[in-house]
């Protein structure tokens, strides 16, 4: 019985010394980050054809990393890459692609959406890549506690591009 009491006492003193419960749940107020599923890849064709010979390029959003600080305000930083591969129908050296960053509140309300452009220059093997960085600032921690924020990324597409991605 005394061994059990001694073990319990050691555990209790250790927890008291830490002044923190090991079962404490910490809720982060940092926004979640996601790439919109059907808008993470963009394939452009030359003309009306849709065969592999008609592909000018295929671009993707990838390698998304987010970081965040929570103090009086909440500041988040999202880094990601936009990469592309030239297809058989491509004859240039570079492309400029529009992508968007949207801020969602409570999984339903778009707070803001901004469209950016990235210029990719292809190397001799037909590959191109650029690292992009976007930031978000929530002015007060109280505001961050009140709402759930999310950062969404994707290519700004026309209806034909979206239909192609959905059918793919």
């Amino acid at each position: 019985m005394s061994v059990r009491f001694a073990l319990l006492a050691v555990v209790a003193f250790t927890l008291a010394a830490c002044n923190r419960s090991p079962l404490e749940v910490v809720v982060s107020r940092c926004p979640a980050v996601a790439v919109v599923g059907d808008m993470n890849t963009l394939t452009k064709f030359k003309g009306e054809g849709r065969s592999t010979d008609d592909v000018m390029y295929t671009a993707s959003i990838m390698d998304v990393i987010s970081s965040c600080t929570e103090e009086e305000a909440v500041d988040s930083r999202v880094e990601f890459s936009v990469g592309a591969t030239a297809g058989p129908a491509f004859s240039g050296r570079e492309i400029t692609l529009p992508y968007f960053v949207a801020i969602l509140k409570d999984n339903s309300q778009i707070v803001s959406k901004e469209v950016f452009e990235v210029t990719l220059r292809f190397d001799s093997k037909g590959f191109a890549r650029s690292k992009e960085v976007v930031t978000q600032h929530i002015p007060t921690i109280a505001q961050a506690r009140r709402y759930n924020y999310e950062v969404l990324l994707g290519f700004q597409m026309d209806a034909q591009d979206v239909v192609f991605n959905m059918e793919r």
Side-chain angles (χ1 to χ4, degrees), residues 103-136:
I103 309 301
L104 223 60
K105 180 171 77 173
D106 288 339
N107 297 320
S108 62
Q109 182 181 0
I110 296 175
V111 176
S112 69
K113 179 185 174 188
E114 195 168 344
V115 178
F116 300 91
E117 288 188 339
V118 58
T119 299
L120 301 174
R121 289 172 187 79
F122 290 93
D123 63 17
S124 61
K125 296 179 183 174
F127 298 107
R129 189 175 179 120
S130 176
K131 186 174 184 178
E132 302 295 302
V133 177
V134 294
T135 59
Q136 178 193 18

Side-chain angles (χ1 to χ4, degrees), residues 51-112:
S51 73
T52 55
D53 291 336
D54 299 318
V55 173
M56 292 194 330
Y57 59 83
T58 299
S60 297
I61 296 174
M62 59 196 140
D63 303 330
V64 179
I65 300 171
S66 65
S67 59
C68 180
T69 57
E70 299 175 74
E71 293 172 356
E72 296 297 317
V74 176
D75 292 298
S76 69
R77 175 183 168 100
V78 180
E79 298 178 33
F80 58 97
S81 294
V82 178
T85 304
F90 186 70
S91 60
R93 293 282 301 141
E94 68 181 37
I95 56 174
T96 299
L97 303 173
Y99 67 89
F100 68 85
V101 177
I103 309 301
L104 223 60
K105 180 171 77 173
D106 288 339
N107 297 320
S108 62
Q109 182 181 0
I110 296 175
V111 176
S112 69

